[in-house]
Amino acid sequence: MVYFTNRLLLVFVLVNLIPSSKSILNDSDVEGRMDFLQSSMDRMEHRILTLTKTVNKLSKRKKDEHVMFYATLSSDTVLNINSIVKFNEIQFDEGADFNSGDGVFVSPVSGVFMFSWTTLTYSGKSIDTELRVDNIVKAKQIISLGSSAGSIQSTQFVICRVNEKDHVWIQTGAGFTTENFFDHLFKGSKSSFMGILIHVI
């Protein structure tokens, strides 16, 4: 309805812009005016379409340039082998691409990312973790503490290419230990997972 109304308004404006004649219009005059009106409307529609595409492209570029998340564990967690670590406290998520329910990040774009995860555990415990991109291991991290080590945290960084719609997560390894003890908090330190888009490909 709005589009139809706009076309009528455009026709009205264009008709009034065309010099009027006191003489009786013949068929060729009418056809000439109609051709002029149609040509003017076509040009106007093309400009509107071009402007709309430009705005959409700029909006998408702005979203693409700001992809990042940071999540932590809310409680002590013990996991068996091959288990996804569900970082269920979202501290920051630009773009809402990290799912705190399953601990998985879904990339909205193809690009180069930096990922980092921190594991915190305590005396006599072990943690074996790995970063996976669409189920392919990109990096690993192992902590194994002695009986009097106290609480220790370790952080691993990785830079890798991720395709649009790829799933990225942290999970426990397959063989180092069957009991991975994650301490969620020690003097302000937490087990965590983060990712930042470096640039779009």
Side-chain angles (χ1 to χ4, degrees):
M1 182 64 184
V2 174
Y3 175 74
F4 179 71
T5 303
N6 289 339
R7 286 182 68 94
L8 286 179
L9 179 60
L10 181 60
V11 170
F12 175 78
V13 172
L14 291 173
V15 167
N16 282 276
L17 288 176
I18 300 174
S20 60
S21 173
K22 294 182 179 179
S23 61
I24 299 175
L25 296 176
N26 55 35
D27 290 343
S28 62
D29 292 330
V30 173
E31 290 177 0
R33 288 194 175 193
M34 292 303 296
D35 290 342
F36 175 77
L37 290 173
Q38 184 62 50
S39 175
S40 298
M41 286 189 292
D42 289 344
R43 288 196 299 271
M44 183 66 70
E45 289 175 359
H46 177 72
R47 290 175 182 174
I48 293 173
L49 180 60
T50 300
L51 180 60
T52 301
K53 289 181 178 179
T54 301
V55 171
N56 289 338
K57 185 181 295 184
L58 290 174
S59 298
K60 185 177 187 300
R61 182 183 301 170
K62 181 176 178 62
K63 180 180 184 300
D64 291 348
E65 291 173 351
H66 297 84
V67 180
M68 58 191 75
F69 69 90
Y70 173 57
T72 57
L73 284 178
S74 64
S75 62
D76 293 349
T77 303
V78 181
L79 297 176
N80 205 331
I81 62 172
N82 298 324
S83 300
I84 294 179
V85 185
K86 298 178 181 179
F87 296 92
N88 60 329
E89 286 185 326
I90 295 180
Q91 306 296 339
F92 186 83
D93 187 10
E94 182 76 24
D97 301 302
F98 182 81
N99 188 333
S100 60
D102 59 16
V104 176
F105 166 74
V106 181
S107 179
V109 296
S110 295
V112 175
F113 283 79
M114 181 183 74
F115 295 103
S116 169
W117 75 103
T118 296
T119 53
L120 175 66
T121 193
Y122 47 92
S123 300
K125 307 301 180 182
S126 299
I127 299 180
D128 175 16
T129 51
E130 53 197 29
L131 173 80
R132 292 191 173 227
V133 177
D134 261 19
N135 213 29
I136 297 175
V137 177
K138 296 296 184 178
K140 293 178 66 69
Q141 179 182 182
I142 295 176
I143 304 178
S144 183
L145 301 182
S147 59
S148 59
S151 293
I152 300 292
Q153 67 177 15
S154 176
T155 300
Q156 175 70 291
F157 291 88
V158 60
I159 294 177
C160 62
R161 174 171 179 160
V162 178
N163 295 319
E164 183 178 0
K165 303 302 181 183
D166 276 357
H167 290 58
V168 184
W169 67 88
I170 303 298
Q171 77 172 45
T172 56
F176 185 78
T177 178
T178 58
E179 291 185 319
N180 295 272
F181 289 82
F182 294 84
D183 192 0
H184 90 285
L185 179 64
F186 177 74
K187 294 184 178 180
S189 298
K190 285 190 172 186
S191 295
S192 62
F193 179 32
M194 64 169 287
I196 300 174
L197 173 66
I198 298 175
H199 66 79
V200 177
I201 296 177

